[in-house]
Amino acid sequence: MNKNTSQINKRNNRMKNFKRSLFISILVKFIITVSISFILTFILLILGEKVSRLFVWYGNEPLYPIYSLIANNVFFFFVFALIVEFIVIFIYYWSKPLGYLEEIVKATENIYDSKDEYIQLSTELVEVENKMNQIKINVERNQRIAKEAEQRKNDLIVYLAHDLKTPLTSVIGYLTLLRDEGQISRELQEKYISIALQKSERLENLINEFFEITRFNLSNLSLELSRVNLTRMMEQITFEFQPMFLEKNLKCNLLAEPNIMIKCDVDKIQRVFDNLLRNAINYSFEDDIIEVSVTQNSKETRLKFRNHGNTIPEEKLNRIFEQFYRLDTSRGTKSGGAGLGLAIAKEIVELHHGSITVFSEDEVIEFEVILPIL
């Protein structure tokens, strides 16, 4: 709430500053124009008065009355000319804001234009011009990102739908064999049941990926904060992952001071740590060690998940937190999920006003989560 209020106040202050600078700019130009106009009028009338007196002196006809009128009423003409000029200049500059408004309205139509041309406004509106061009750039970038994410999601759904057929066909096939083969041996029965179970688990994972995509698109994440012992949470999470560690003969070293307390949404922050630990397992070399460290000071809590695996190229690191982006694009690997785990982790961490970063070099992959003390 305070953050939103602060942002509103900043926007209001920027608007006030812009109005003030625009008013000062118009006022300065108005004063300069009036001053120049008055000086020129004064000079012209003085010259006119001198010329008129010259002609009056010679008494030329038939323009004598006009010259006489100008020569004897030069002050009146000067005041009259000044008033007319002031009114005309005032009306001109008074209409300027309306012209600026019309210019801005027309420019807004170009914000969502797909053309690469930048918006150009009057010199006085340079600040508005810069803001509108920045918005145009952001809109184009967001549209491109959304389009790419939508394409990746559509491709992923096609892949998942195709992948569902393979394990489902295997499960049906082996269960049909168990039903129809009356004289099948005990060993063959166990083999068929084991294969059917593996395929069923794979099928369950794929279905969960579908649910994950649906939840991510339809749910609005909100926090339910409570205090929790982070050290015990991490001990429990690493213990629950023991079966997955054994599959690749991995060890997990947890380095954390006892009884580190944080305020967070327990279920959601646990999901972050689950995703990061699962990611470390999937992309770690076999027979290796995963290190999880937790430290805390008066301002923040830091968690690091470090494993040894193939170095992630920089271009992939820059996109690793994008929706539906998968490091391993092969659909045949078990490591590739829906490409939502890290995107959801990032969103949850940022909801806690924290940050999540990744580093990879020399076959080391390290994720760091920073959570401020709430």
Side-chain angles (χ1 to χ4, degrees), residues 271-332:
R271 186 177 184 183
V272 172
F273 302 150
D274 281 350
N275 284 336
L276 292 177
L277 202 52
R278 192 181 304 275
N279 189 80
I281 294 171
N282 288 336
Y283 295 99
S284 179
F285 295 139
E286 294 186 2
D287 307 315
D288 211 295
I289 297 174
I290 295 175
E291 296 178 359
V292 181
S293 63
V294 186
T295 57
Q296 188 179 65
N297 56 36
S298 59
K299 295 182 179 180
E300 61 192 20
T301 304
R302 288 176 178 262
L303 298 97
K304 293 184 179 181
F305 297 77
R306 182 186 179 95
N307 67 279
H308 294 86
N310 293 323
T311 303
I312 303 174
E314 185 176 355
E315 61 271 14
K316 290 190 175 183
L317 282 179
N318 295 332
R319 303 183 61 188
I320 201 169
F321 294 108
E322 291 181 11
Q323 301 174 26
F324 310 112
Y325 184 76
R326 304 172 71 237
L327 285 176
D328 187 353
T329 56
S330 172
R331 297 302 305 169

Side-chain angles (χ1 to χ4, degrees), residues 342-357:
L342 294 178
I344 294 174
K346 184 174 186 289
E347 184 168 348
I348 292 173
V349 170
E350 289 180 348
L351 277 174
H352 285 81
H353 307 294
S355 63
I356 180 171
T357 55

Side-chain angles (χ1 to χ4, degrees), residues 73-129:
N73 298 278
V74 65
F75 179 76
F76 170 79
F77 282 111
F78 178 68
V79 173
F80 178 77
L82 292 185
I83 293 174
V84 171
E85 289 174 1
F86 184 87
I87 293 173
V88 171
I89 295 172
F90 181 79
I91 293 174
Y92 172 76
Y93 278 99
W94 178 257
S95 64
K96 272 279 188 181
L98 297 177
Y100 291 149
L101 181 60
E102 184 179 357
E103 194 175 349
I104 292 173
V105 170
K106 288 182 178 179
T108 55
E109 298 174 357
N110 296 329
I111 289 180
Y112 298 96
D113 195 345
S114 58
K115 296 180 180 178
D116 295 332
E117 300 169 351
Y118 285 112
I119 295 170
Q120 294 183 343
L121 301 175
S122 300
T123 307
E124 294 82 4
L125 302 175
V126 62
E127 185 177 347
V128 178
E129 177 184 305

